[in-house]
Amino acid sequence: EAGVAQSPRYKIIEKRQSVAFWCNPISGHATLYWYQQILGQGPKLLIQFQNNGVVDDSQLPKDRFSAERLKGVDSTLKIQPAKLEDSAVYLCASSRGTVGYEQYFGPGTRLTVT
Amino acid sequence: GEDVEQSLFLSVREGDSSVINCTYTDSSSTYLYWYKQEPGAGLQLLTYIFSNMDMKQDQRLTVLLNKKDKHLSLRIADTQTGDSAIYFCAESYTGTASKLTFGTGTRLQVTL
């Protein structure tokens, strides 16, 4: 079975620019997660979708970050405008369900904001 | 509140056992996990333990849970150079959401 796909793998932008990341979860996985991993830290959940509905976005900086999961499959995460502190690896994960199901992680997108 | 702590670095010789430790604060944690992250790669689930268990063994991996002290450890027997990576412990709890709260990660270096 194919894993979680993410693109691009690397992105460099200047502050105040906008950027979008794309995630294609494992086929059949209802739950999709976006995590932010700052260098030297563990991943932190930004948003969780169950099908195309948002379950938890309590740690998403909504003034600049947005995410959607149209049709309950692929998802995009957008940052507009980017700040220097947004430099991080953005990880997408998916699972068959919520509690008790293993989360499978993609390779991540490394964002550098200059 | 939720807080998961780990030591930052561990160095062991090839063939020795490695023990990576983790402490957590959320007493309502239901599942505790160990993930491995190699350079440039995503996170790989190694093993997990339910909060009502004390120990779980899976080939070279042994997980010990001390619920009273909120202490979790991962023992890797016969450590190999391929085990060099960052190891994260994580917790989650039963609820409508299932987010993982990760520790800061322990970098394991295996030397010859």
Side-chain angles (χ1 to χ4, degrees):
Chain A
E1 135 182 287
V4 177
Q6 291 188 248
S7 67
R9 291 295 312 275
Y10 305 91
K11 189 74 177 179
I12 301 174
I13 62 172
E14 295 181 351
K15 60 183 178 183
R16 291 186 291 273
Q17 287 186 322
S18 61
V19 64
F21 312 127
W22 174 81
C23 173
N24 180 234
I26 292 173
S27 178
H29 280 196
T31 311
L32 186 146
Y33 310 80
W34 283 102
Y35 288 86
Q36 180 193 56
Q37 185 177 18
I38 293 172
L39 186 65
Q41 299 181 17
K44 181 186 80 173
L45 180 73
L46 292 175
I47 189 167
Q48 176 185 345
F49 291 94
Q50 179 69 16
N51 296 308
N52 61 352
V54 175
V55 175
D56 184 352
D57 64 355
S58 57
Q59 298 192 84
L60 186 74
K62 298 181 185 65
D63 57 334
R64 297 183 302 105
F65 285 64
S66 65
E68 60 182 9
R69 191 184 183 198
L70 298 175
K71 301 180 182 178
V73 182
D74 293 3
S75 178
T76 56
L77 176 69
K78 296 178 182 176
I79 308 175
Q80 181 180 10
K83 292 185 175 182
L84 295 177
E85 58 261 36
D86 298 332
S87 294
V89 175
Y90 290 84
L91 295 164
C92 180
S94 71
S95 64
R96 289 194 179 277
T98 54
V99 178
Y101 288 91
E102 178 178 350
Q103 294 184 27
Y104 294 83
F105 284 81
T109 297
R110 181 178 296 277
L111 173 67
T112 302
V113 182
T114 62
Chain B
E2 304 159 352
D3 195 15
V4 181
E5 295 186 355
Q6 300 179 239
S7 53
L8 291 180
F9 185 76
L10 175 66
S11 181
V12 298
R13 283 190 167 183
E14 188 177 40
D16 288 350
S17 292
S18 309
V19 180
I20 302 171
N21 295 300
C22 169
T23 57
Y24 61 98
T25 57
D26 191 346
S27 59
S28 62
S29 295
T30 304
Y31 301 87
L32 294 139
Y33 304 83
W34 283 104
Y35 281 84
K36 176 183 181 182
Q37 187 175 41
E38 294 180 273
L43 291 151
Q44 174 195 356
L45 178 64
L46 290 177
T47 186
Y48 65 93
I49 189 168
F50 294 108
S51 60
N52 62 357
M53 297 170 64
D54 298 323
M55 187 185 87
K56 181 178 180 181
Q57 187 155 2
D58 185 1
Q59 299 182 332
R60 291 192 298 124
L61 305 179
T62 303
V63 178
L64 294 177
L65 174 61
N66 182 328
K67 198 172 180 183
K68 173 176 169 288
D69 295 336
K70 298 188 180 69
H71 183 266
L72 182 74
S73 67
L74 174 69
R75 178 177 181 269
I76 305 173
D78 187 26
T79 311
Q80 302 298 306
T81 54
D83 294 325
S84 294
I86 300 176
Y87 291 80
F88 292 93
C89 67
E91 61 176 355
S92 70
Y93 61 95
T94 303
T96 55
S98 55
K99 72 174 186 180
L100 294 171
T101 300
F102 287 87
T104 50
T106 299
R107 181 178 295 277
L108 174 64
Q109 180 184 65
V110 183
T111 59
L112 297 174

